[in-house]
Amino acid sequence: MQSEFSSPEKYFRSTKINYMLKPGRNLLKTWKSTLDRVEARYGVPRNIIIAVWGSESSYGKARLPHNAVRSLATESYAGARKELFYPELIAALKILQQGHIKPEQMKSSWAGALGHPQFMPTKYLQYAVDFDKDGTPDIWNSVPDTLASIANFLKQHKWQAGRDWGFEVIVPDTVSCTLEGPDQGKPITNWAKLNVKRVKERAFPKSELKRKGHLLFPAGRFGPTFLVTENFYVLKEYNESDLYALFIGHMADRLAGGKPFVNQWGKVGGFTRADVRDMQLRLEKKGHDVGGADGLVGFKTRRTVGKWQEQNGMRATCLPDTKLVKKIR
């Protein structure tokens, strides 16, 4: 059975946020001196690092019951994406060959993601750091290595030190939601001239005004909207989901004492991934770029839906409903 698309609200439920907040704040205190050094070396804020750690493995408490080599070998031989998993299997064998960990200790998720940061083996070889200087990057047992490895990953993907990830904003109807996306950025001062404002009439930081901001409508016009920086897209390098990156940014803000989103998530959904994929295939046949017919409502699909709505005399919401997902052709 195909899963049903539901409101992004489930990613930001207070129970989930609160479950992560108290231990996250405690860990910020416990590992303050290490985080001081990690932050100084890599330029990535400690709250972002802790938020990633919490999201990936519940601060190292998540069970990793699988043997990484066995899991990757199975996926390489019998999985649906053999071409993805075979290089990971080879990388896992290199990790063992180089003596970073014993085979029986190389635990992973079902898909072969390793340790507290949940790095795939190729990422371990590229980004894992021996921050505690014991001779090997140990992302299974060493908190310093884990924190530095997460920071190193983000730095190597061009995290911009001193910048925020983004801001919740109010976007007037005069600014189309079809302007969303990393390829349609403008200086934040230009968005401000179009009456895009931060919630609660807060000012944008002066240091950000001349730098690019990008509109983000994760639920179309049916939920909170954001003006995000290039650092948001660095977070997407860790996991390509908009909601993942938004969760990390929001969780980092909450760890620093920030409040929940001001605007509420609307009730959306009622259609399946199969419905979305069929709609995407129809749009692709018409020459639209929906980012691939994968059944996911990513930013290219959202803005294509908005363009279709505008072309057909409708208010652009940039999110299909149960009728629209079948009607759009």
Side-chain angles (χ1 to χ4, degrees):
M1 179 180 291
Q2 286 278 347
S3 60
E4 184 176 296
F5 177 86
S6 58
S7 171
E9 180 181 20
K10 68 180 183 180
Y11 287 88
F12 304 96
R13 286 174 181 159
S14 59
T15 51
K16 182 178 179 180
I17 298 287
N18 292 335
Y19 176 78
M20 291 180 63
L21 273 179
K22 185 176 180 180
R25 286 171 176 161
N26 288 338
L27 289 165
L28 281 167
K29 295 176 182 177
T30 300
W31 294 98
K32 180 183 181 302
S33 62
T34 299
L35 286 164
D36 286 344
R37 291 185 293 118
V38 170
E39 200 171 74
R41 179 175 298 184
Y42 298 103
V44 179
R46 64 193 64 205
N47 290 356
I48 290 287
I49 298 168
I50 293 292
V52 171
W53 185 23
S55 180
E56 290 298 326
S57 64
S58 193
Y59 309 114
K61 293 180 181 178
R63 290 183 66 247
L64 297 175
H66 300 280
N67 178 285
V69 172
R70 184 177 295 116
S71 295
L72 292 165
T74 299
E75 292 298 322
S76 298
Y77 177 74
R81 295 180 292 169
K82 300 180 181 65
E83 72 287 349
L84 173 66
F85 284 98
Y86 182 71
E88 299 297 345
L89 173 61
I90 299 302
L93 295 174
K94 287 182 179 178
I95 292 170
L96 294 175
Q97 184 182 51
Q98 293 170 8
H100 295 301
I101 193 166
K102 295 178 180 178
E104 65 272 16
Q105 297 174 333
M106 195 174 182
K107 297 298 185 180
S108 72
S109 70
W110 68 268
L114 306 173
H116 292 202
Q118 286 291 274
F119 281 174
M120 293 302 287
T122 55
K123 298 298 185 288
Y124 173 94
L125 292 173
Q126 288 178 279
Y127 305 112
V129 174
D130 177 20
F131 201 71
D132 61 14
K133 303 300 182 184
D134 70 350
T136 190
D138 183 0
I139 61 173
W140 293 268
N141 304 295
S142 170
V143 172
D145 289 3
T146 292
L147 300 176
S149 296
I150 292 169
N152 184 46
F153 178 96
L154 296 173
K155 179 182 179 180
Q156 295 303 322
H157 284 88
K158 301 188 184 222
W159 181 274
Q160 297 180 7
R163 295 200 74 187
D164 210 321
W165 65 270
F167 315 94
E168 186 182 0
V169 295
I170 298 170
V171 183
D173 283 343
T174 51
V175 177
S176 174
C177 54
T178 64
L179 295 177
E180 175 179 11
D183 52 347
Q184 299 192 94
K186 302 177 188 292
I188 287 178
T189 187
N190 290 18
W191 290 116
K193 290 175 182 177
L194 295 173
N195 212 27
V196 174
K197 300 178 179 179
R198 288 188 73 180
V199 294
K200 294 189 174 181
E201 299 184 354
R202 297 176 64 189
F204 291 109
K206 289 183 179 179
S207 60
E208 292 285 356
L209 291 177
K210 294 183 180 181
R211 306 176 89 168
K212 274 190 179 181
H214 311 262
L215 289 179
L216 176 72
F217 289 82
R221 288 283 185 179
F222 302 106
T225 52
F226 305 88
L227 200 57
V228 300
T229 72
E230 280 87 348
N231 282 343
F232 176 85
Y233 297 103
V234 174
L235 294 175
K236 284 191 67 174
E237 294 289 343
Y238 211 106
N239 181 313
E240 65 183 29
S241 164
D242 285 337
L243 293 179
Y244 175 89
L246 184 59
F247 180 83
I248 297 300
H250 182 57
M251 189 67 203
D253 289 349
R254 297 294 299 277
L255 285 166
K259 302 297 182 183
F261 296 136
V262 171
N263 294 304
Q264 301 299 306
W265 300 98
K267 292 183 178 180
V268 297
F271 48 84
T272 66
R273 282 189 65 172
D275 293 330
V276 174
R277 184 173 181 276
D278 289 343
M279 177 192 72
Q280 289 170 327
L281 288 170
R282 295 193 298 270
L283 287 167
E284 283 185 335
K285 287 181 180 178
K286 295 290 186 181
H288 295 286
D289 179 9
V290 295
D294 56 7
L296 301 175
V297 189
F299 78 89
K300 287 187 177 181
T301 293
R302 292 194 295 267
R303 69 189 188 189
T304 299
V305 167
K307 290 175 183 177
W308 186 94
Q309 290 171 314
E310 289 176 345
Q311 290 166 2
N312 286 272
M314 303 168 65
R315 174 180 178 263
T317 65
C318 295
L319 197 77
D321 56 29
T322 51
K323 292 181 180 179
L324 205 59
V325 78
K326 296 183 183 300
K327 183 178 179 181
I328 290 178
R329 295 187 181 277

